[in-house]
Amino acid sequence: MITVVDYYVVASILFAIGALGFLLRKNVLVMFMSVELMLNSANLVLVASAKSFDLARGSAFALVSVAVAAAEVGVGLAIIIALFRLKATVDAEEITNLRG
Amino acid sequence: MFQDIALAGPILLPALAALLLLGVELLAGGRRSQGSFLLCALGALVALIYTGYFLANGRTGLAFNGTLNVDNTALLIALIVHFSALLAVLLSRSYLAARRDADAPEYYSLVMAAASGMAMLAAANDLVNVFLGVELMSIPLYVLAAIRRKSARSVEAGLKYLLLGAFASAFLLFGMGLLYGASGSTLLSALPAEIARLETNGGLAAFGVVMFLIGVFFKVAAVPFHMWTPDVYEGSPTPVTAFMATATKAAAFGLLLRFTPVIATGMGPEAGSSMLAVIAVLTMFVGNLGALRQQNLKRLLAYSSIAHAGYMLVGVAAIVAEDGGEIALTGSSAIVFYLGTYAAMNLGAFGVAVVLDRGEGREGVNELKGLCSERPLLAAVMAVFTLALAGVPPTAGFLGKLYVFSCAVQARMYALAVVAVLASVVGLFYYLRLILLMYFTPREEGAEPRLLRTDSFLAVASFVCAVLVLWLGVLPAWFVDFVEATVRG
């Protein structure tokens, strides 16, 4: 029997994978993808909870967050392209103009 | 319905201004003019007056099925946000005139969009609205940070802000999902009761609160989630930094104040306040110690803003410790007072930074050397802001600290109050160093001549800030009474 707790466990694992990817990978695009994985694991929690309570609110929230994440991706990719045009790299280790 | 829209005015007016500005820029077809600057300043001013009018007449209430709670605290925070937006816009004009590459058509529109999100965050009473507010605040700020897209520093600032901001949003959203799972409700005001009712879920609510708080701590730049702050503040255009530092803090602390009952129920008052106290202490010390060794004025102000977030977290810890009762009111009004005074002094200091700006990576504190003999008025104004940031009487900064720290005493967190005072003493050093540079250090022989970038709008903005800082410091009674009376409702 799959309960809502199992969904929470899966979501937490996905979230952890995303967080580790963000912290360990050096490619800016991959870091950004990791964040998307984290956001989607949060959506999984929302949808699973909504199902367990039999309330639509959590599912609606997940839809809203998907739309917002899309906006964030749009801005994010634009900034990454601007960076690539300037530095011809997407490696986070080489982006070190600001230090102090 | 109309009532709801009227209550949401502090959120909708800047949004409307943002859309209008986009349309105007589209019609202007790339011909740059003063039009959008004036329209944006007007939009911020109208939003400010509208919010002030609602506040003065006690027009508060729930809107849109209770998902927005436009109470007095929300209106006060919105007032601070719109004040910051107006002043940041006034600072922008001379900055953009000097830096043509920052003068993108969408600049002013993005400022207004962010202000709308901040006002929404302050009034949000539903997790969905909290998330929308956070993102509507953050996404325009990512773009604004990177708006000089030919400048490697600016784009780097935008990228760092975006990556860490999105990382923080993921924590926030995950926390919201868990809180929803622990309560079955997304209404912030209903969360504590529902969490207590469904106690079977055990650690779910506590886990949710921690994840949610990590997201908020990123936004207010609390240690250990502050790493992005100095880089982003240095690389962003200076007026944008000023706006970020003041208005974002106000909005995020507005959210935190509304969230305190959930922290107390989800984690328990002791655990919640201990965690907040530890973070507050770390934030104050890392901010102040980090600022000591900074040579760049913008980085120095970034570390100072980290320290100020720590001071305000002291108040939040006190509120959570008592969980309701008298301290919730005095604590909230102390933090709102602090946010208001911090907005005035920080915007003023950044205004002076705009005037002294020599160009990228050369915003050194050395520019302040000998300022007193050359520009006595500018030096005096900067001295006022510096003393206020340091918390020296008779400026508003001193009173803000006094009120917040006395909340910790009221909550019987004596050690926290003592540590907070010690941290402010550490802070004195680098603020006084700025004063010493201005008044007692002559300018080096053969130094490049000053490039003072200023215009009448910037002068008015700095003057207003200086007057506010002194007035609220010398005669604070009316403002304190006003804040206390309105927060109490």
Side-chain angles (χ1 to χ4, degrees):
Chain A
M1 177 64 189
I2 295 175
T3 63
V4 66
V5 177
D6 299 314
Y7 284 98
Y8 292 158
V9 171
V10 172
S12 302
I13 293 170
L14 282 178
F15 189 87
I17 293 173
L20 283 176
F22 181 86
L23 295 171
L24 298 178
R25 298 299 294 265
K26 296 299 165 211
N27 185 314
V28 173
L29 280 168
V30 177
M31 288 168 79
F32 205 50
M33 278 163 57
S34 305
V35 170
E36 291 304 312
L37 188 61
M38 293 164 74
L39 284 171
N40 281 321
S41 72
N43 286 337
L44 184 59
V45 173
L46 281 170
V47 175
S49 312
K51 186 74 187 158
S52 80
F53 288 115
D54 213 11
L55 291 169
R57 217 164 223 209
S59 309
F61 192 174
L63 273 180
V64 170
S65 91
V66 167
V68 171
E72 205 158 45
V73 169
V75 167
L77 290 180
I79 293 179
I80 293 174
I81 290 172
L83 178 87
F84 186 74
R85 280 192 183 148
L86 285 175
K87 315 252 312 181
T89 178
V90 285
D91 190 333
E93 304 237 293
E94 290 179 34
I95 309 166
T96 51
N97 283 302
L98 300 165
R99 276 282 157 90
Chain B
M1 188 64 197
F2 180 74
Q3 183 71 19
D4 289 4
I5 292 174
L7 274 173
I11 304 163
L12 294 177
L13 281 173
L16 189 69
L19 292 176
L20 264 178
L21 281 160
L22 271 187
V24 167
E25 287 293 340
L26 195 66
L27 292 177
R31 276 176 288 115
R32 312 290 307 134
S33 69
Q34 294 304 320
S36 44
F37 163 73
L38 290 173
L39 186 60
C40 183
L42 187 71
L45 188 65
V46 168
L48 184 69
I49 292 171
Y50 186 92
T51 313
Y53 175 80
F54 267 52
L55 200 55
N57 291 291
R59 307 253 320 247
T60 56
L62 296 171
F64 300 110
N65 287 327
T67 56
L68 285 183
N69 182 2
V70 188
D71 58 6
N72 283 311
T73 314
L75 284 175
L76 277 168
I77 301 268
L79 197 72
I80 297 170
V81 166
H82 295 323
F83 172 78
S84 306
L86 177 63
L87 265 75
V89 167
L90 294 182
L91 300 187
S92 295
R93 188 168 168 274
S94 73
Y95 184 88
L96 295 185
R99 297 282 178 74
R100 302 304 303 178
D101 58 342
D103 198 5
E106 58 275 14
Y107 180 94
Y108 291 115
S109 173
L110 288 168
V111 173
M112 287 288 98
S116 167
M118 290 163 182
M120 182 161 176
L121 194 51
N125 191 32
D126 188 287
L127 292 176
V128 183
N129 278 352
V130 170
F131 186 66
L132 280 178
V134 166
E135 295 300 313
L136 185 55
M137 161 178 96
S138 302
I139 295 177
L141 286 179
Y142 304 149
V143 185
L144 280 171
I147 200 144
R148 303 176 57 208
R149 58 198 165 85
K150 294 279 166 9
S151 149
R153 282 165 175 272
S154 179
V155 173
E156 183 181 332
L159 183 74
K160 282 185 174 163
Y161 199 18
L162 170 97
L163 282 175
L164 286 163
F167 190 60
S169 297
F171 276 89
L172 196 71
L173 191 66
F174 199 83
M176 287 178 184
L178 293 173
L179 285 173
Y180 176 67
S183 67
S185 168
T186 56
L187 276 182
L188 270 182
S189 50
L191 275 180
E194 292 295 310
I195 289 173
R197 197 168 63 81
L198 298 174
E199 244 172 325
T200 45
N201 282 321
L204 202 57
F207 189 27
V209 167
V210 170
M211 297 295 260
F212 186 97
L213 283 180
I214 289 177
V216 178
F217 287 154
F218 262 105
K219 298 292 171 194
V220 300
V223 176
F225 311 106
H226 68 290
M227 310 77 72
W228 57 274
T229 320
D231 287 352
V232 172
Y233 280 21
E234 186 193 344
S236 305
T238 313
V240 174
T241 313
F243 183 54
M244 260 182 216
T246 54
T248 309
K249 272 211 171 53
F253 271 98
L255 168 66
L256 210 48
L257 286 179
R258 205 179 285 281
F259 195 65
T260 46
V262 186
I263 305 177
T265 344
M267 295 184 71
E270 287 86 33
S273 70
S274 317
M275 185 193 68
L276 282 163
V278 168
I279 296 219
V281 169
L282 284 175
T283 308
M284 289 185 287
F285 276 101
V286 169
N288 279 330
L289 293 173
L292 282 176
R293 59 188 173 81
Q294 295 307 321
Q295 292 303 322
N296 182 304
L297 188 56
K298 277 162 87 179
R299 283 188 92 84
L300 189 145
L301 287 172
Y303 277 103
S304 130
S305 95
I306 295 174
H308 281 276
Y311 301 142
M312 286 183 262
L313 281 174
V314 170
V316 180
I319 295 175
V320 173
E322 293 284 296
D323 185 22
E326 181 64 13
I327 192 123
L329 296 168
T330 46
S332 298
S333 43
I335 290 174
V336 171
F337 179 85
Y338 200 110
L339 285 167
T341 53
Y342 178 69
M345 56 207 188
N346 209 33
L347 281 162
F350 274 108
V352 177
V354 171
V355 175
L356 294 173
D357 194 350
R358 293 195 67 88
E360 237 173 33
R362 297 163 70 203
E363 303 104 343
V365 287
N366 286 339
E367 280 302 304
L368 290 170
K369 274 186 187 166
L371 194 64
C372 167
S373 52
E374 287 176 49
R375 293 291 177 127
L377 194 59
L378 191 63
V381 168
M382 184 62 178
V384 168
F385 299 136
T386 315
L387 290 174
L389 285 168
V392 175
T395 58
F398 170 71
L399 284 167
K401 281 205 179 69
L402 185 68
Y403 291 137
V404 171
F405 296 170
S406 64
C407 289
V409 174
Q410 219 178 320
R412 291 185 297 284
M413 303 171 87
Y414 302 113
L416 183 63
V418 171
V419 171
V421 172
L422 285 178
S424 336
V425 173
V426 175
L428 270 180
F429 284 104
Y430 61 89
Y431 294 119
L432 289 181
R433 186 176 127 226
L434 297 183
I435 303 232
L436 288 180
L437 281 174
M438 283 193 294
Y439 282 88
F440 301 106
T441 317
R443 200 164 162 74
E444 289 131 0
E445 292 289 320
E448 289 174 75
R450 286 188 197 288
L451 275 172
L452 294 180
R453 303 199 184 283
T454 185
D455 65 4
S456 44
F457 294 104
L458 205 166
V460 167
S462 306
F463 183 70
V464 167
C465 287
V467 167
L468 270 177
V469 168
L470 284 177
W471 188 20
L472 294 180
V474 180
L475 295 168
W478 69 274
F479 191 65
V480 175
D481 291 346
F482 175 67
V483 171
E484 285 230 2
T486 45
V487 167
R488 275 163 207 275

